[in-house]
Amino acid sequence: MNIRVIELPLDFGANRRGSDMGPSAMRLAGLKQVLSELGHTCEESFPGIPVPAQEFLEEGDPRVRFLAPIAESCTALAERVEEAVLSGAFPLVLGGDHSIAIGTLSGLGAAYKKQNLRWGTLWVDAHGDFNTPESTPSGNIHGMSLAIACGYGHPDLVNLYGNFRKLDPAHVALVGVRDLDSLEKVNMRQAGVTVYTMTEVDRLGMAETARWIVSFFKERVDRLHVSVDMDVMDPMIAPGVGIPLSGGFSYREVLLLAEELAASGILASAELVEVNPVLDVRNQTARMAVEIAGRLLGGKVF
């Protein structure tokens, strides 16, 4: 495939700084080499999307911190993602914190609307990212990105890149979830998204969970996007993330899931976010992210 690597080094959506260096860390971990060895053509989206220095900006409304610069950067990202899809490429988006998904999902929504294709998203994350300005305890937009794509949240973000709902909640599944805010749970139930918590993964095992996930999407959509927040991993394996939370995926579990998604035949785009080199150990988390990317794009042991 033709892989279009699109980077957005944005970390305005979280409390902890440092995830803006995530794309560089993944490049240094050998992303391009891994994809090339799998036989893909790997092209990078240049020039880079400009991101202003956070220190010189006002955070604005504390319920949606740094809304204006996040909206500006995500609009630029949406344009590049849409163009990649319409040109037949596989968009591989590198962040940055998970607020960048607002741009990714907006671009995908616009492209698939033009192509009249049904599409869905697998959200691989320890968190739900389904808060709104009314429910958020922090005001951090990286905890709102999935809700925004499904049509819930601040209108400047919900209507970013077009006044339409970018993603049908009925075509959304989350896996690896183990930390939800109380009002966020209400939002998710009302929206009707499907959730596989770590309890389900523990009960079913990853092989059965992955089969359920693939079946869920193949019955509903023509194209699948996967968004991987590296905090879904156990911090013993991936320490360099913004919100480390014990009890996450093991090394083998996440690679098995990635291989099953690759074999589904409907995976058309992917996103890797929340790699924070400031908190990492010898670029361990970035290397893990690169390995996940490789498995999503057809890599196998044998």
Side-chain angles (χ1 to χ4, degrees):
M1 288 187 292
N2 181 22
I3 311 298
R4 183 81 53 84
V5 179
I6 308 171
E7 300 181 6
L8 181 49
L10 180 82
D11 66 353
F12 292 1
N15 274 334
R16 288 185 174 178
R17 303 296 310 278
S19 60
D20 58 327
M21 295 183 282
S24 296
M26 286 182 264
R27 272 190 275 110
L28 290 171
L31 177 65
K32 191 170 184 178
Q33 179 181 351
V34 167
L35 299 182
S36 298
E37 288 176 353
L38 290 171
H40 300 300
T41 300
C42 184
E43 61 180 46
E44 297 180 67
S45 181
F46 285 121
I49 298 173
V51 178
Q54 187 182 126
E55 291 78 9
F56 300 104
L57 299 174
E58 297 291 333
E59 77 168 38
D61 187 340
R63 298 175 304 163
V64 276
R65 299 173 62 247
F66 297 106
L67 183 152
I70 289 174
E72 183 178 352
S73 295
C74 284
T75 298
L77 175 59
E79 293 173 354
R80 297 193 187 201
V81 169
E82 181 187 18
E83 193 279 326
V85 172
L86 295 179
S87 69
F90 182 108
L92 177 60
V93 181
L94 310 180
D97 67 59
H98 222 161
S99 68
I100 74 163
I102 299 166
T104 303
L105 298 176
S106 294
L108 293 173
Y112 292 134
K113 185 179 182 183
K114 289 179 179 178
Q115 295 178 333
N116 196 29
L117 291 171
R118 300 171 304 160
W119 73 289
T121 293
L122 177 64
W123 202 257
V124 186
D125 198 329
H127 307 91
D129 295 348
F130 221 89
N131 272 304
T132 65
E134 293 72 35
S135 68
T136 177
S138 67
N140 293 331
I141 291 177
H142 75 158
M144 308 179 194
S145 45
L146 184 55
I148 288 164
C150 291
Y152 305 92
H154 195 287
D156 288 359
L157 298 174
V158 169
N159 297 324
L160 183 140
Y161 209 61
N163 186 12
F164 64 97
R165 185 174 67 178
K166 310 308 186 298
L167 180 59
D168 186 345
H171 296 163
V172 172
L174 300 91
V175 67
V177 176
R178 55 191 188 278
D179 183 22
L180 296 172
D181 298 316
S182 56
L183 293 178
E184 182 181 30
K185 295 179 189 179
V186 176
N187 296 342
M188 295 168 76
R189 291 191 179 107
Q190 289 178 345
V193 298
T194 297
V195 182
Y196 297 88
T197 68
M198 281 305 299
T199 301
E200 275 77 47
V201 176
D202 290 339
R203 183 181 296 121
L204 297 172
M206 180 53 81
E208 187 66 16
T209 303
R211 282 192 287 269
W212 275 98
I213 288 169
V214 169
S215 176
F216 172 88
F217 284 110
K218 291 188 83 168
E219 290 172 1
R220 291 166 173 80
V221 302
D222 307 303
R223 300 287 188 272
L224 173 62
H225 169 69
V226 59
S227 185
V228 181
D229 186 321
M230 290 303 293
D231 72 16
V232 78
M233 304 293 298
D234 194 276
M236 292 184 67
I237 299 164
V241 298
I243 308 177
L245 192 64
S246 60
F249 283 173
S250 71
Y251 177 86
R252 284 302 317 154
E253 284 174 328
V254 74
L255 296 186
L256 173 58
L257 175 61
E259 289 183 22
E260 291 295 319
L261 294 173
S264 70
I266 58 172
L267 185 64
S269 57
E271 180 175 57
L272 295 160
V273 301
E274 300 282 2
V275 173
N276 191 326
V278 174
L279 304 171
D280 208 1
V281 178
R282 296 186 296 276
N283 219 26
Q284 179 178 333
T285 306
R287 292 199 306 271
M288 186 77 246
V290 168
E291 186 152 12
I292 292 170
R295 299 302 173 94
L296 286 170
L297 288 159
K300 295 181 179 179
V301 174
F302 181 74

